[in-house]
Amino acid sequence: MLQTTTIIIGAGQAGLAMSRCLSELGVEHVVLERGKLAQRWRSHSWDSLRLLTPNWMTRLPGFQYDGHDRDGFMSVPELIAFFERYAVSSVAPVLTDTTVQSVERSGNGFRVVTNRGVWTASSVVVATGYCDLPAVPAASRGLAPSVRQIVPSDYRRPEQLPAGGVLVVGASSTGVQLADEIQRSGRQVTLAVGRHTRLPRSYRGRDILWWLDQLGVLGQGVDAVQNIERSRHQPSLQLVGRPDHSSLDLAVLHDRGVRLVGRVRDIDGRRVSLADDVVATTAAADFKMAEILMRIDQFIAATGAAAASPEPFNPTWPLAADTPDSLDLKDERINTVIWATGYRRAYPWLRLPVLTAHGEITHKGGITPEVGLYVLGLNFQRRRNSSFIDGVGHDAWVIAQEIEQSMARVRVA
Ligand SMILES: Cc1cc2nc3c(=O)[nH]c(=O)nc-3n(C[C@H](O)[C@H](O)[C@H](O)COP(=O)(O)OP(=O)(O)OC[C@H]3O[C@@H](n4cnc5c(N)ncnc54)[C@H](O)[C@@H]3O)c2cc1C
């Protein structure tokens, strides 16, 4: 039986940040990773993917981007290399190719079974990722087998798709990027638009995330919002990180020839029924964006921050008028459906009574009701940016301190 104080499950940014913080506090630990370091980025990314957060936001405890292109956006190979350098600089004790198969209570601590041996530890940190599995609507089950359906983690490039048109479902960051790339490759793309958070890439001469960082929006804690569950389910930012810093929104896609339709309600074979909600959805996103830009204007006025004049932003909702209430995939020659409909999590190996009816881990700021069990990297876990590279470090510090203090309490008792 192998023994340590803390086991961290997963060697993505959350697991590595956690390891760094525990090392700084002198807490013995291991990081168990089923694949290679940063496996998610290695195996679940499309070829052209770049971070949507600028390089200066690639900051983790004790380590940050130090290249010459602070305002640029990292490609996936660059990001993996960054995480590899981080692990080396932290001397992170990562055991790769080690899959956690079960976690259960053993005395005051835990018994963790892996494909490469059994461990015991007094605490466990689950860092297996917020974007663990694709969340695909039940309607997908009605789709005719002759239509290929895939999820973004299996998409690499347009050439891998069967000939013909493509229906992309979901207009958040992933959906708009895939719709754009596939349309540019010469296919006809139809985009089923659901709830989304529209933002321009830059505003008044600065990257939009720079302004949100200045406003303190990204670092807002759970107490700053009225309904944390609603905030946790906000759609991701409709942003793309491109060398030319261009924006990608529904107007850009519409100009490129992408057809905008409403949310997918149901599918029967090749018949897709659509909600009559694009105008309402896009109007809500336009309104929300205008509100955020107004807050930036107020911030500039209050602080005298240097800024260019405001750019006009056109509403996108007029583009969505007259959308159909159904699509016949055969008539439209659509042979592929891509479900860019978000993510879910599953913890079949977690044999502890901490899961909600929806299979989520019950926690308060990452601390679960099972003494010694923690979770890290969830959306808006402690702060709005908890699942971002730039935000996970804050939460990792809090949990590392909690682990150290609980060890001190055990030593005193
Ligand atoms: C398409 C996309 C783009 C994104 N772009 C950005 C961005 O630009 N900027 C930003 O800040 N954030 C971005 N994010 C959000 C976030 O940074 C990523 O989701 C990131 O991968 C989260 O890191 P993590 O360490 O929490 O989880 P993950 O990277 O998912 O790491 C979890 C690790 O746990 C391992 N694991 C899982 N189960 C087990 C098991 N049973 N045993 C052992 N190991 C296990 C996995 O192999 C994986 O390596 C993006 C997310 C997606 C999906």
Side-chain angles (χ1 to χ4, degrees), residues 72-105:
F73 304 96
M74 269 188 217
S75 66
V76 171
E78 286 166 341
L79 182 64
I80 292 169
F82 173 86
F83 286 138
E84 282 172 339
R85 288 198 302 279
Y86 185 42
V88 169
S89 99
S90 306
V91 202
V94 181
L95 299 181
T96 54
D97 301 312
T98 306
T99 303
V100 169
Q101 295 166 332
S102 68
V103 176
E104 58 198 6
R105 192 47 93 184

Side-chain angles (χ1 to χ4, degrees), residues 261-311:
V261 299
R263 206 167 30 85
V264 169
R265 288 172 54 196
D266 202 8
I267 305 183
D268 182 8
R270 288 179 168 240
R271 182 139 213 102
V272 178
S273 73
L274 302 164
D276 178 21
D277 61 355
V278 207
V279 171
T281 314
T282 46
D286 290 345
F287 179 77
K288 179 86 189 148
M289 182 180 84
E291 210 178 50
I292 293 171
L293 301 185
M294 195 178 69
R295 282 179 66 186
I296 295 173
D297 292 340
Q298 286 166 347
F299 173 83
I300 292 167
T303 61
S309 334
E311 304 86 343

Side-chain angles (χ1 to χ4, degrees), residues 3 11 34 58 99 114 127 180 183 318 376:
Q3 207 172 348
R34 66 182 169 190
T58 306
T99 303
T114 79
D180 186 44
Q183 179 77 24
L376 183 63

Side-chain angles (χ1 to χ4, degrees), residues 10 12-14 33-34 40 51-53 100 127 129 343 387-389:
Q13 73 214 20
E33 166 55 55
R34 66 182 169 190
R40 183 87 56 198
L51 287 184
L52 55 84
T53 45
V100 169
Y343 296 90
S387 60
F388 283 25
I389 299 166

